[in-house]
Amino acid sequence: MGVQSKFYKSAFKTLQERKQISEDKAIAKKNKIYKDIPELLEIDNQLSKNMVIVARYALSEGSKQKIEEISKISLELSNRKRQLLCMNNINESDLKVQYFCNNCSDTGYDKNGKVCSCVKSLAKQFAFKELNSSTPLNNCTFENFDCNRYSDDNREVMTTIFDFCKNYADEFNENSQSLLFMGGTGLGKTHLSLSIAGKVIEKGYGVIYGPLSKILAKIEKEHFSQSDSTTLDNICDCDLLIIDDLGTEFLTSFTTSVLYDIINTRILNSKPIIISTNLSVEELEKQYGQRIISRIFGCYKGFVFRGEDIRLD
Ligand SMILES: [Zn+2]
């Protein structure tokens, strides 16, 4: 699977920044420790000098005894260092740089010179961010979803749906089930979908969300411009895909087949999708055909939202 090179560039840039921050932090911490315990600085300096001397002797013959002498001194210094650290409640790791990624020490390359998986996952995050950029999540959270705005007749059903969604987001994992939100406009489907998106992103998962029309337009543009297309790959591969407002997009034979591919691929790979739609079952079948709709109804847990348009005051 390809991720556009601009996202890789951003990923490497982020790694560089992370590396710098980690190293600056480590230096500051080390300097503070040396200031508090000057003997430690002397020991570390002497240990470094000894290492150089040993390396030099190692190249010349007949210096075995000398090397042993220095190694013995170094061992004593190391023991004294450990003692000092212990007395001051300092872990040896506190003197080392704490990288974000231990696999590549934030260089982006592992020990075999291969691009580290952290680069790939960062590049994906940037790609998802760009796809999601037009839909702000801040306005839609579980905290500002008010079940009391529904009438007495609908409140119980909507509270049950709300509780399910909140629990779904809390417990989300790669194998969570797919959901289908049905019901009229303004009943809270988008609000709850985006609340789930926010929570699941917070947990560190890759989420793509937004109106299907926007997602399909991007895929179509990439397909026909034969660009370094990756949106479709990302959509098939992200941990959670949220398709908002199924039924409002303009369908062509190309987009219908892409939609089928997306739904089918994700079902085959057991990757969850949340679909929300204002359309009825009959309307969905008419618009997308039996093939797609039977796939969705066969594998998704459905919820029918009830109530009045909660966006109207
Ligand atoms: Zn890494």
Side-chain angles (χ1 to χ4, degrees):
M1 165 188 325
V3 175
Q4 271 172 305
S5 52
K6 69 170 174 176
F7 298 125
Y8 269 108
K9 269 187 201 158
S10 304
F12 274 108
K13 192 165 170 269
T14 302
L15 278 191
Q16 242 174 22
E17 287 161 5
R18 283 180 175 179
K19 191 167 185 285
Q20 192 63 55
I21 290 169
S22 302
E23 287 172 357
D24 288 350
K25 256 193 205 164
I27 290 169
K29 201 168 180 183
K30 207 171 186 179
N31 284 342
K32 163 124 191 7
I33 292 173
Y34 282 154
K35 202 174 161 220
D36 294 344
I37 317 163
E39 193 188 342
L40 209 55
L41 174 61
E42 282 168 35
I43 291 175
D44 273 349
N45 284 342
Q46 194 54 55
L47 281 171
S48 305
K49 277 182 199 163
N50 289 0
M51 265 172 70
V52 176
I53 296 169
V54 168
R56 209 172 283 153
Y57 276 125
L59 295 174
S60 54
E61 279 181 33
S63 45
K64 198 178 159 213
Q65 198 191 342
K66 198 78 189 159
I67 290 176
E68 272 171 10
E69 265 172 40
I70 296 169
S71 299
K72 199 174 158 228
I73 295 170
S74 290
L75 189 67
E76 280 163 11
L77 285 172
S78 296
N79 288 338
R80 173 63 184 152
K81 180 178 171 178
R82 253 194 299 281
Q83 198 182 24
L84 278 173
L85 291 175
C86 188
M87 277 160 54
N88 289 281
N89 282 326
I90 299 167
N91 288 323
E92 222 157 319
S93 60
D94 289 342
L95 291 169
K96 290 180 185 150
V97 184
Q98 309 287 322
Y99 292 107
F100 280 81
C101 176
N102 289 326
N103 190 37
C104 70
S105 304
D106 299 342
T107 59
Y109 295 97
D110 66 13
K111 289 177 191 76
N112 303 317
K114 285 194 177 146
V115 173
C116 183
S117 57
C118 73
V119 178
K120 198 176 164 190
S121 101
L122 262 176
K124 272 192 192 175
Q125 278 178 34
F126 284 118
F128 294 175
K129 218 172 172 180
E130 189 183 88
L131 268 171
N132 296 338
S133 61
S134 64
T135 313
L137 285 179
N138 310 352
N139 306 333
C140 298
T141 61
F142 287 115
E143 286 67 33
N144 64 16
F145 188 89
D146 186 6
C147 290
N148 291 321
R149 295 189 63 174
Y150 294 91
S151 65
D152 293 349
D153 295 346
N154 302 315
R155 194 173 307 123
E156 203 183 321
V157 171
M158 290 311 299
T159 305
T160 307
I161 295 177
F162 173 85
D163 289 343
F164 177 89
C165 290
K166 197 161 181 306
N167 191 50
Y168 179 91
D170 285 340
E171 310 268 302
F172 182 86
N173 61 64
E174 295 91 339
N175 302 314
S176 286
Q177 61 190 140
S178 291
L179 310 177
L180 175 65
F181 293 165
M182 299 183 78
T185 309
L187 299 186
K189 299 188 301 296
T190 300
H191 192 128
L192 284 182
S193 304
L194 293 183
S195 304
I196 293 173
K199 189 82 194 171
V200 173
I201 289 172
E202 216 176 271
K203 284 165 73 108
Y205 289 103
V207 182
I208 293 177
Y209 54 87
L212 183 61
S213 53
K214 203 185 142 224
I215 293 171
L216 289 176
K218 194 156 167 56
I219 293 171
E220 199 167 13
K221 195 175 155 209
E222 285 177 357
H223 179 78
F224 289 109
S225 65
Q226 294 184 328
S227 69
D228 186 7
S229 63
T230 56
T231 301
L232 185 57
D233 288 336
N234 283 336
I235 280 168
C236 289
D237 192 54
C238 64
D239 298 313
L240 175 63
L241 173 64
I242 297 179
I243 293 179
D244 196 25
D245 246 355
L246 180 75
T248 53
E249 67 288 340
F250 178 72
L251 283 176
T252 63
S253 57
F254 175 77
T255 51
T256 310
S257 94
V258 167
L259 182 63
Y260 183 76
D261 270 354
I262 293 171
I263 289 170
N264 211 26
T265 307
R266 291 192 65 95
I267 288 174
L268 287 175
N269 295 324
S270 304
K271 283 178 172 280
I273 311 187
I274 298 174
I275 293 179
S276 73
T277 181
N278 299 337
L279 301 185
S280 65
V281 180
E282 295 74 31
E283 285 168 329
L284 283 172
E285 273 181 352
K286 201 172 156 209
Q287 193 151 328
Y288 300 97
Q290 185 68 36
R291 199 166 67 129
I292 295 184
I293 300 310
S294 63
R295 279 311 255 157
I296 295 175
F297 278 91
C299 307
Y300 287 46
K301 186 173 172 64
F303 292 94
V304 179
F305 282 54
R306 283 173 37 182
E308 315 72 36
D309 191 336
I310 56 164
R311 294 174 307 178
L312 303 174
D313 272 308

